[in-house]
Every structure is written in C-alpha cells, then in structure tokens.
C-alpha cells in the first residue's frame, strides 16, 4: 500500500527511489518458501499484446487460451498439456502486485519462468531485474519474429543480446527467437519446445 501511495509501481521504480523498500522486498523473497507443485510448471510473463496467449496455444497444440488485442488475461490461469503445465501471468502495468510472499513462493515453485518480449528487452526489464534480485533464473523469448524483415533479423537478434548485456541481467538462461503464430518459420521454436520438456 505504501509503495502504491508513492506511485512506485515497478521494481525499477522501487530500485531508483526507495532503497529500503528494495532491501525489505529482497529479504521477504529470501524467506518465501517455494510452493510445492506437481509436474513441469512453466510460467509466461509478458506485457499485454506480446502474444502470450498465442504462445500458450501453440505450445499446447490447441486453442485453450483466449487471444486478441488488448488485455485478455485478467488473472493467473493454468493450462495443462502433455509435457507441461503452462501458467499465464497477466501483463500488469502494476508490477507491485507480484511482490507479495504468495506470488514469490509461486515463482520459486515453478520449473521455468519465460519472459516474453517483442521488440526490446526494456519492455519487461523491470520484472527481469526483480527476478535477478531474488535470484530466480528465467529464459527470454523474443516473440513475433515474423514481423521483423528477413534482412534485419540478424542485426535485431544481435541488438537484443547487446541489450541483455548492457542492462546487466544476471539470471538469464536461454534466449529464443520465435513466432508463436508461425512456429515452423523459426528453428528456435523446436529448440525451445525440447528445452521446456526436459526438467
């Protein structure tokens, strides 16, 4: 409530304006115990319209999640597939909601955390910095690669990697460049699916 009152609605804002709140948050996160979860649990984080629902449906091989322009996910939803349980995390503009013990325990209990971005790491760097601060590993999925002109793709991928390094993200595992809408177009898709199945 105090953070909301100060209009600190993201981890980056807290980091910049309230060092004490940041330390308290990290201490709370260290105390939070992972929720025990059965099976291979993978969460997808991403701002509204980064294609999370399309990604979920493509990974599951059937249309289970609602897709569309604008906000289609209002609360955390889970979808069971043959090889994994996928969790759709709402693309909130107010990130502070994720900074509760309940959410942190949930994040800790997951097998993998996928952060979806579309054109720049900055879209979701705040949640990545938060996961870095609480020492939770995550993978980055650059979606909608079909929208990048073919001759610009190599340079675009290079730019994304440079950004990761420039921002200084610490807990990044793999980086995949895909199109959830046209999975077969990009070899990283099969690579990603294989990676997600093994845990």
């Amino acid at each position: 409530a105090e953070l909301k009152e100060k209009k600190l609605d993201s981890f980056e804002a807290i980091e910049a304006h309230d060092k004490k709140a940041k330390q308290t948050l990290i201490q709370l996160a260290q105390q939070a115990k992972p929720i025990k979860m059965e099976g291979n649990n993978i969460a997808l984080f991403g701002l509204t319209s980064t294609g999370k629902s399309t990604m979920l449906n493509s990974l599951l091989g059937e249309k289970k999640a609602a897709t569309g322009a604008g906000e289609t996910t209002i609360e955390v939803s889970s979808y069971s597939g043959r090889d994994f349980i996928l969790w759709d995390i709402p693309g909130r503009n107010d990130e502070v909601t994720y900074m509760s013990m309940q959410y942190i325990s949930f994040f800790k209990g997951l097998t993998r955390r996928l952060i979806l971005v579309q054109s720049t790491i900055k879209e979701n760097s705040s949640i990545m910095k938060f996961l870095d601060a609480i020492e939770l590993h995550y993978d980055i999925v650059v979606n909608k690669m079909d929208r990048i002109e073919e001759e610009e793709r190599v340079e675009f991928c290079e730019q994304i990697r440079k950004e990761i390094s420039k921002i200084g993200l610490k807990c990044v595992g793999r980086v995949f460049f895909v199109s959830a809408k046209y999975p077969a177009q990009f070899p990283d898709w099969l690579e990603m699916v294989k990676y997600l199945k093994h845990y």
Side-chain angles (χ1 to χ4, degrees), residues 42 44 50-62 83-84 86 114 116-117 140-146 174-198:
I42 300 162
L44 279 78
T50 42
K52 285 195 314 276
S53 300
T54 306
M55 175 76 65
L56 277 156
N57 292 333
S58 293
L59 284 168
L60 295 167
E62 58 183 300
D83 302 294
F84 27 62
L86 299 176
L114 299 183
L116 263 70
V117 296
I140 296 173
V141 180
V142 184
N143 191 24
K144 303 194 181 183
M145 281 296 289
D146 53 289
R174 302 279 301 269
V175 181
F176 298 101
F177 296 90
V178 300
S179 163
K181 203 171 183 182
Y182 308 104
Q185 268 189 30
F186 298 91
D188 265 16
W189 181 267
L190 285 176
E191 196 57 39
M192 179 180 77
V193 171
K194 201 163 74 180
Y195 169 72
L196 295 177
K197 283 180 182 176
H198 294 96

Side-chain angles (χ1 to χ4, degrees), residues 32-47:
K33 299 268 179 283
I35 287 176
K36 292 246 183 295
M37 298 166 92
E38 292 296 312
N40 183 9
N41 289 272
I42 300 162
L44 279 78
F45 298 80
L47 298 180

Side-chain angles (χ1 to χ4, degrees), residues 62-108:
E62 58 183 300
K63 193 168 170 29
K64 285 190 177 182
T67 58
E71 182 65 83
T72 48
T73 307
I74 308 303
E75 53 194 45
V76 173
S77 317
S78 71
Y79 302 89
S80 295
R82 208 179 51 197
D83 302 294
F84 27 62
I85 298 147
L86 299 176
W87 295 83
D88 192 353
I89 312 293
R92 290 179 195 274
N93 299 329
D94 164 23
E95 234 173 66
V96 174
T97 315
Y98 295 150
M99 296 172 193
S100 67
M101 293 288 268
Q102 192 183 358
Y103 263 112
I104 292 167
S105 294
F106 167 65
F107 295 159
K108 283 185 164 185

